[in-house]
Amino acid sequence: MTDTARTANDRELVLTRLIDAPREKLFKCWTQPELMKQWFAPLPWKLSHVEVDLRAGGSSKVVMRSPEGQEFPNLGVYLEVVPNEKIVFTDAYTEAWVPSEKPFFTGIITFEDEGGKTRYTAIARHWTVEDRKAHEEMGFHEGWGQCADQLAALAKKI
Amino acid sequence: MTDTARTANDRELVLTRLIDAPREKLFKCWTQPELMKQWFAPLPWKLSHVEVDLRAGGSSKVVMRSPEGQEFPNLGVYLEVVPNEKIVFTDAYTEAWVPSEKPFFTGIITFEDEGGKTRYTAIARHWTVEDRKAHEEMGFHEGWGQCADQLAALAKKI
């Protein structure tokens, strides 16, 4: 019913992978700054700075650095955190509760057991169809896909 | 009772009152559906339906009924709840975590002890200056002001 409609929602982008690692490790990779630096940006991009206040209302600050050395800060707020299961965050606030210049998307990351592996799902929900399209054209699937590969590789090593 | 026009930020609207009631009672009036029905809409408007799931990520549904009997549903999500101190909610989501058609504002309600009374502050933060202006022109100060009077009167009775 509503779940089907939501999946079919034309304001949403979804990436899902079956990753051969326990969900506890994937959750760590998503939430510990030193681990995030190793996979969160699609190489050769890097993270030059990461701050994580992992709780509903806590701030998230990630500065991405391009291969040319240009820095792009990403400010957001965590909306929901269920250890080893779910992380929800948005760029609609720069901190609790200061509206950003532009609410672009809400990220919903889930980790589920599936046949001894982990079903990793990253959903990006947008406020408008235009923003969903723009995100897709910015390379959502390629970028988040490459990062999911990097995440899977890192989770095997730790 | 005087309103202090405290608008440091041009995307923000603020209403504040010193109310002669303990903050526990004001918090109850803000969160218990049967009490909300007695003050939350500026009379002769009424609330015909109220649902409160009082926790970060919980839904808020308030249906306002005009004197002519027209109904206006308001869907939102609580972002932060500190009992007897603070309530934060937004219409940017219709439920956790489904983006609404239009993120309009975030409400930040605080209750602070002040000389045996309660400093009641209601802040409406908008994503754009245009939306702040529109909210003001829709009668924010008059509407929220009248409701604050109704809230103060109710808190004395309970």
mmCIF file of all heavy atoms in Angstrom, chain A residues 63-83:
data_model
loop_
_atom_site.group_PDB
_atom_site.id
_atom_site.type_symbol
_atom_site.label_atom_id
_atom_site.label_comp_id
_atom_site.label_asym_id
_atom_site.label_seq_id
_atom_site.Cartn_x
_atom_site.Cartn_y
_atom_site.Cartn_z
ATOM 1 N N VAL A 63 33.404 17.719 5.008
ATOM 2 C CA VAL A 63 33.998 18.571 3.981
ATOM 3 C C VAL A 63 34.641 17.675 2.928
ATOM 4 O O VAL A 63 35.545 16.891 3.233
ATOM 5 C CB VAL A 63 35.050 19.536 4.572
ATOM 6 C CG1 VAL A 63 35.632 20.429 3.481
ATOM 7 C CG2 VAL A 63 34.429 20.378 5.687
ATOM 8 N N MET A 64 34.159 17.768 1.690
ATOM 9 C CA MET A 64 34.722 16.976 0.593
ATOM 10 C C MET A 64 35.752 17.820 -0.138
ATOM 11 O O MET A 64 35.546 19.019 -0.344
ATOM 12 C CB MET A 64 33.623 16.572 -0.378
ATOM 13 C CG MET A 64 32.584 15.667 0.258
ATOM 14 S SD MET A 64 31.929 14.479 -0.928
ATOM 15 C CE MET A 64 30.734 13.615 0.107
ATOM 16 N N ARG A 65 36.849 17.151 -0.514
ATOM 17 C CA ARG A 65 37.896 17.873 -1.235
ATOM 18 C C ARG A 65 38.056 17.260 -2.626
ATOM 19 O O ARG A 65 38.275 16.054 -2.774
ATOM 20 C CB ARG A 65 39.224 17.799 -0.476
ATOM 21 C CG ARG A 65 40.324 18.653 -1.136
ATOM 22 C CD ARG A 65 41.657 18.476 -0.445
ATOM 23 N NE ARG A 65 41.557 18.847 0.979
ATOM 24 C CZ ARG A 65 42.591 19.221 1.727
ATOM 25 N NH1 ARG A 65 43.807 19.268 1.206
ATOM 26 N NH2 ARG A 65 42.416 19.513 2.998
ATOM 27 N N SER A 66 37.961 18.117 -3.626
ATOM 28 C CA SER A 66 38.101 17.649 -5.011
ATOM 29 C C SER A 66 39.561 17.326 -5.294
ATOM 30 O O SER A 66 40.453 17.757 -4.553
ATOM 31 C CB SER A 66 37.617 18.725 -5.977
ATOM 32 O OG SER A 66 38.600 19.745 -6.084
ATOM 33 N N PRO A 67 39.848 16.576 -6.379
ATOM 34 C CA PRO A 67 41.236 16.269 -6.728
ATOM 35 C C PRO A 67 42.058 17.549 -6.932
ATOM 36 O O PRO A 67 43.265 17.561 -6.723
ATOM 37 C CB PRO A 67 41.107 15.485 -8.037
ATOM 38 C CG PRO A 67 39.729 14.908 -8.010
ATOM 39 C CD PRO A 67 38.885 15.906 -7.276
ATOM 40 N N GLU A 68 41.384 18.643 -7.296
ATOM 41 C CA GLU A 68 42.075 19.924 -7.506
ATOM 42 C C GLU A 68 42.268 20.691 -6.192
ATOM 43 O O GLU A 68 42.834 21.793 -6.186
ATOM 44 C CB GLU A 68 41.289 20.811 -8.482
ATOM 45 C CG GLU A 68 41.209 20.250 -9.909
ATOM 46 C CD GLU A 68 40.190 19.103 -10.026
ATOM 47 O OE1 GLU A 68 39.207 19.104 -9.248
ATOM 48 O OE2 GLU A 68 40.408 18.199 -10.857
ATOM 49 N N GLY A 69 41.749 20.147 -5.103
ATOM 50 C CA GLY A 69 41.960 20.777 -3.801
ATOM 51 C C GLY A 69 40.856 21.726 -3.366
ATOM 52 O O GLY A 69 40.967 22.388 -2.338
ATOM 53 N N GLN A 70 39.774 21.779 -4.157
ATOM 54 C CA GLN A 70 38.662 22.648 -3.764
ATOM 55 C C GLN A 70 37.831 21.957 -2.682
ATOM 56 O O GLN A 70 37.598 20.743 -2.757
ATOM 57 C CB GLN A 70 37.786 22.901 -4.993
ATOM 58 C CG GLN A 70 37.360 24.364 -5.125
ATOM 59 C CD GLN A 70 36.380 24.533 -6.268
ATOM 60 O OE1 GLN A 70 36.434 23.806 -7.261
ATOM 61 N NE2 GLN A 70 35.475 25.501 -6.122
ATOM 62 N N GLU A 71 37.371 22.725 -1.691
ATOM 63 C CA GLU A 71 36.636 22.112 -0.589
ATOM 64 C C GLU A 71 35.145 22.428 -0.648
ATOM 65 O O GLU A 71 34.743 23.546 -0.959
ATOM 66 C CB GLU A 71 37.222 22.585 0.741
ATOM 67 C CG GLU A 71 38.710 22.246 0.852
ATOM 68 C CD GLU A 71 39.130 21.866 2.250
ATOM 69 O OE1 GLU A 71 38.787 22.608 3.178
ATOM 70 O OE2 GLU A 71 39.807 20.815 2.412
ATOM 71 N N PHE A 72 34.339 21.414 -0.358
ATOM 72 C CA PHE A 72 32.881 21.544 -0.386
ATOM 73 C C PHE A 72 32.294 21.060 0.941
ATOM 74 O O PHE A 72 32.218 19.857 1.178
ATOM 75 C CB PHE A 72 32.295 20.719 -1.535
ATOM 76 C CG PHE A 72 32.752 21.170 -2.896
ATOM 77 C CD1 PHE A 72 33.955 20.689 -3.437
ATOM 78 C CD2 PHE A 72 32.002 22.088 -3.624
ATOM 79 C CE1 PHE A 72 34.385 21.126 -4.681
ATOM 80 C CE2 PHE A 72 32.433 22.512 -4.874
ATOM 81 C CZ PHE A 72 33.631 22.030 -5.405
ATOM 82 N N PRO A 73 31.926 22.004 1.804
ATOM 83 C CA PRO A 73 31.353 21.582 3.090
ATOM 84 C C PRO A 73 29.902 21.122 2.935
ATOM 85 O O PRO A 73 29.134 21.720 2.170
ATOM 86 C CB PRO A 73 31.424 22.845 3.951
ATOM 87 C CG PRO A 73 31.692 23.974 3.031
ATOM 88 C CD PRO A 73 32.037 23.452 1.672
ATOM 89 N N ASN A 74 29.556 20.066 3.625
ATOM 90 C CA ASN A 74 28.180 19.560 3.662
ATOM 91 C C ASN A 74 27.718 19.532 5.103
ATOM 92 O O ASN A 74 28.224 18.754 5.904
ATOM 93 C CB ASN A 74 28.128 18.122 3.104
ATOM 94 C CG ASN A 74 28.463 18.072 1.629
ATOM 95 O OD1 ASN A 74 27.612 18.259 0.783
ATOM 96 N ND2 ASN A 74 29.741 17.842 1.318
ATOM 97 N N LEU A 75 26.757 20.397 5.410
ATOM 98 C CA LEU A 75 26.239 20.453 6.770
ATOM 99 C C LEU A 75 24.871 19.793 6.832
ATOM 100 O O LEU A 75 24.065 19.943 5.912
ATOM 101 C CB LEU A 75 26.095 21.914 7.223
ATOM 102 C CG LEU A 75 27.368 22.745 7.237
ATOM 103 C CD1 LEU A 75 27.055 24.172 7.676
ATOM 104 C CD2 LEU A 75 28.391 22.124 8.172
ATOM 105 N N GLY A 76 24.646 19.085 7.909
ATOM 106 C CA GLY A 76 23.341 18.453 8.060
ATOM 107 C C GLY A 76 23.062 18.105 9.496
ATOM 108 O O GLY A 76 23.845 18.410 10.401
ATOM 109 N N VAL A 77 21.930 17.480 9.704
ATOM 110 C CA VAL A 77 21.499 17.082 11.043
ATOM 111 C C VAL A 77 20.989 15.649 10.981
ATOM 112 O O VAL A 77 20.303 15.269 10.030
ATOM 113 C CB VAL A 77 20.379 18.033 11.553
ATOM 114 C CG1 VAL A 77 19.687 17.472 12.782
ATOM 115 C CG2 VAL A 77 20.947 19.404 11.864
ATOM 116 N N TYR A 78 21.346 14.852 11.977
ATOM 117 C CA TYR A 78 20.772 13.509 12.094
ATOM 118 C C TYR A 78 19.353 13.626 12.639
ATOM 119 O O TYR A 78 19.112 14.385 13.587
ATOM 120 C CB TYR A 78 21.608 12.634 13.033
ATOM 121 C CG TYR A 78 22.986 12.334 12.504
ATOM 122 C CD1 TYR A 78 24.110 13.010 12.967
ATOM 123 C CD2 TYR A 78 23.162 11.383 11.498
ATOM 124 C CE1 TYR A 78 25.377 12.746 12.462
ATOM 125 C CE2 TYR A 78 24.421 11.117 10.986
ATOM 126 C CZ TYR A 78 25.521 11.797 11.470
ATOM 127 O OH TYR A 78 26.762 11.541 10.951
ATOM 128 N N LEU A 79 18.438 12.895 12.032
ATOM 129 C CA LEU A 79 17.040 12.915 12.485
ATOM 130 C C LEU A 79 16.689 11.669 13.288
ATOM 131 O O LEU A 79 15.823 11.698 14.152
ATOM 132 C CB LEU A 79 16.099 13.012 11.276
ATOM 133 C CG LEU A 79 16.191 14.293 10.450
ATOM 134 C CD1 LEU A 79 15.347 14.165 9.187
ATOM 135 C CD2 LEU A 79 15.734 15.494 11.268
ATOM 136 N N GLU A 80 17.356 10.571 12.969
ATOM 137 C CA GLU A 80 17.051 9.305 13.653
ATOM 138 C C GLU A 80 18.279 8.406 13.561
ATOM 139 O O GLU A 80 18.891 8.292 12.496
ATOM 140 C CB GLU A 80 15.846 8.630 12.975
ATOM 141 C CG GLU A 80 15.359 7.390 13.688
ATOM 142 C CD GLU A 80 14.156 6.739 12.992
ATOM 143 O OE1 GLU A 80 13.507 7.391 12.156
ATOM 144 O OE2 GLU A 80 13.892 5.559 13.290
ATOM 145 N N VAL A 81 18.617 7.789 14.677
ATOM 146 C CA VAL A 81 19.755 6.875 14.703
ATOM 147 C C VAL A 81 19.359 5.624 15.479
ATOM 148 O O VAL A 81 19.012 5.707 16.654
ATOM 149 C CB VAL A 81 20.990 7.518 15.380
ATOM 150 C CG1 VAL A 81 22.143 6.534 15.431
ATOM 151 C CG2 VAL A 81 21.413 8.792 14.655
ATOM 152 N N VAL A 82 19.354 4.485 14.819
ATOM 153 C CA VAL A 82 19.127 3.202 15.490
ATOM 154 C C VAL A 82 20.408 2.390 15.273
ATOM 155 O O VAL A 82 20.681 1.964 14.154
ATOM 156 C CB VAL A 82 17.916 2.440 14.900
ATOM 157 C CG1 VAL A 82 17.657 1.166 15.696
ATOM 158 C CG2 VAL A 82 16.676 3.325 14.873
ATOM 159 N N PRO A 83 21.209 2.222 16.341
ATOM 160 C CA PRO A 83 22.516 1.578 16.172
ATOM 161 C C PRO A 83 22.443 0.276 15.380
ATOM 162 O O PRO A 83 21.590 -0.564 15.634
ATOM 163 C CB PRO A 83 22.975 1.344 17.615
ATOM 164 C CG PRO A 83 22.330 2.450 18.381
ATOM 165 C CD PRO A 83 20.983 2.645 17.732
#
